[in-house]
Amino acid sequence: MTRPGAWLLALGMAGGAVLDLAPAPPAWPAGGWRIVQADFHVHSFFGDGTLSPIHLLLEARRRGLDAIAVTNHNQTLVARVTRALSRAIGGPTVLVGEEITAPRWHLIGVGLRDTVSWRQPLETAIDAVHAQGGVAILAHPVHLYRSALTDAARASLDGTEVRHALIDLSPRRRQELEEVFAQVRARHPGAAPIGSSDDHGGGGLGQPRTYVFARDASAEAIVEAVRAGRTVAVWHGEPYGDPALVSMLPALTTPPARSATRTAVGFLGWAGVAGLLFGRTRAERTPAD
Amino acid sequence: MSLAIGAGVCFLNGGHLGPARLVPAMACWSFVPLLRLAALGLVAAVLAGRGRVTARVIDLYGVGQGPWYVCLLGLSLAAIIDPSLRPWLFSPRPRDVVFTLLLAVVVAWSIVVRLAFFRLVLGLSPARARLAVVLMGALFWGAIAAYWLLSGQLLPRLL
């Protein structure tokens, strides 16, 4: 009675399980720091992302990320669940985050304990993030999301997303993000350049990403490094940040997206799913007496 | 339905299946068939006077999701063959025109199938079948919007 496709699916799943056993990326030491590859703006299921917490962790590891901040809109519950899962499976490091989403601004809080309310001005939301020991990063500050940006906010932000997936769409976005970063730097010279994917499960996790010069890959060390501005934003292998930090980066290569093994395992699973969805069992093909 | 969506999510994010990916994905996305079944039960009760939806009706409703299965399998295959297509497919303007067109075709096709389902399986008149499709959509998307609203994710974007 086995449906066609069940065996193929089982084979594809077994192959996939082996692929998911890939080890964590090796540590990169540089000038007394460890270079941590991080994506500080990631959405997951129960928010408006498509990936379950465990899937997010496996995919982050596959893409060579040492740390992610789960930043669903106006909630932190899933981030805390993902952090607990991460501890159980040995990484990557998960920082509890939130995309504090207000009508006129979006703010990424990273290293939080509790949800920060969006029903307040940007300046007090930044203060609320700091009060929890976190860092406040202005999210995709293109025209639509920066009308509430005041001098006080510029002075207290820990960083801005100077590299974001939006840049893939238009060079104008890149210029807008760099302008805001320059404005923030003018008020707060130590502000960190951040590269974030804002991935919602569409396949873009870790592109762009942030290279953090931290003591180690712990959440506390990463937050401390962002607060101190020791970051380089990287977009398609192109670094943006303090030249002294950029010079310490090793050759920037992204993990290969495709391999023959992965493609073959993918095909097996795909054929299995197609067989289960559209195939019929022998009994179904045989007309009833 | 959960398998189709869960597998689609896995292929678009990693290009392969694995127990730790597929099982949680199916569990997470099981809200789709559950909501659909609840809406189907309600619509069948109100418009067709059926107090109970049989297993055969549910089976046929599932078969009627064929357009979505084809779409998900097609996107998945593209993602396996060329992973660089994934961000391309989900990029906003102007490239999302392709995705929007694809979505429009699938939605139109699935509406045709659902109309046929309500007419042939539940025996509704053409007018009632149209109403049933609208009601199903309103119940399904209404429940999702309610979740977004209650979890504080929707309101700031509406203001």
Side-chain angles (χ1 to χ4, degrees), chain A:
Chain A
M1 282 304 156
T2 311
R3 278 190 180 274
W7 284 107
L8 287 173
L9 179 62
L11 278 172
M13 296 270 276
V18 173
L19 289 176
D20 283 337
L21 292 176
W28 281 353
W33 305 111
R34 174 177 169 178
I35 301 177
V36 174
Q37 299 189 51
D39 189 340
F40 291 117
H41 188 167
V42 174
H43 295 271
S44 76
F45 203 85
F46 302 107
D48 58 355
T50 64
L51 298 185
S52 66
I54 185 77
H55 195 164
L56 203 52
L57 295 172
L58 291 172
E59 198 51 17
R61 189 186 288 173
R62 188 180 81 79
R63 288 167 187 252
L65 289 166
D66 303 293
I68 55 170
V70 178
T71 54
N72 283 340
H73 298 278
N74 298 334
Q75 55 170 265
T76 52
L77 178 64
V78 182
R80 281 178 273 175
V81 170
T82 312
R83 181 179 59 184
L85 269 173
S86 161
R87 286 172 178 165
I89 68 168
T93 302
V94 171
L95 297 107
V96 174
E98 175 188 353
E99 183 170 5
I100 307 159
T101 305
R104 290 167 61 221
W105 50 268
H106 289 193
L107 179 72
I108 301 295
V110 172
L112 300 178
R113 291 189 302 271
D114 295 308
T115 305
V116 175
S117 170
W118 60 272
R119 297 172 193 270
Q120 57 183 325
L122 176 58
E123 296 83 356
T124 57
I126 295 170
D127 291 343
V129 171
H130 289 160
Q132 293 190 31
V135 284
I137 299 162
L138 197 61
H140 40 67
V142 291
H143 182 69
L144 183 64
Y145 297 110
R146 66 181 193 210
S147 57
L149 190 56
T150 60
D151 272 351
R154 289 186 184 97
S156 55
L157 279 166
D158 298 290
T160 80
E161 287 180 349
V162 70
R163 291 289 179 261
H164 184 276
L166 280 169
I167 297 180
D168 286 328
L169 309 175
S170 152
R172 192 163 54 85
R173 300 297 189 200
R174 176 188 178 125
Q175 194 184 332
E176 283 183 67
L177 297 179
E178 287 181 6
E179 278 170 11
V180 173
F181 182 67
Q183 289 169 10
V184 170
R185 269 264 166 118
R187 301 285 302 181
H188 176 197
I194 301 293
S196 295
S197 71
D198 195 0
D199 184 52
H200 288 70
L205 185 65
Q207 170 52 38
R209 63 182 63 184
T210 306
Y211 287 66
V212 184
F213 292 71
R215 291 190 315 271
D216 52 55
S218 68
E220 296 75 19
I222 293 168
V223 166
E224 186 273 324
V226 172
R227 192 178 294 122
R230 291 195 308 271
T231 63
V232 171
V234 175
W235 173 72
H236 292 301
E238 177 196 304
Y240 182 98
D242 181 347
L245 294 178
V246 170
S247 69
M248 283 197 268
L249 289 177
L252 295 174
T253 54
T254 45
R258 180 163 48 167
S259 72
T261 311
R262 190 173 302 282
T263 305
V265 169
F267 268 128
L268 276 175
W270 184 89
V273 173
L276 284 174
L277 290 176
F278 290 107
R280 291 180 298 169
T281 61
R282 183 184 296 272
E284 286 169 335
R285 284 197 299 269
T286 309
D289 292 331

Side-chain angles (χ1 to χ4, degrees), chain B residues 20-77:
Chain B
R21 292 171 183 253
L22 183 61
V23 175
M26 285 175 64
C28 283
W29 287 93
S30 61
F31 82 91
V32 175
L34 290 175
L35 270 181
R36 288 276 179 204
L37 283 182
L40 177 63
L42 209 61
V43 168
V46 171
L47 294 180
R50 291 190 183 215
R52 197 166 62 89
V53 177
T54 63
R56 182 172 172 276
V57 170
I58 294 172
D59 265 359
L60 288 170
Y61 182 76
V63 170
Q65 306 302 310
W68 289 104
Y69 300 158
V70 170
C71 175
L72 282 167
L73 283 171
L75 289 175
S76 300
L77 193 58

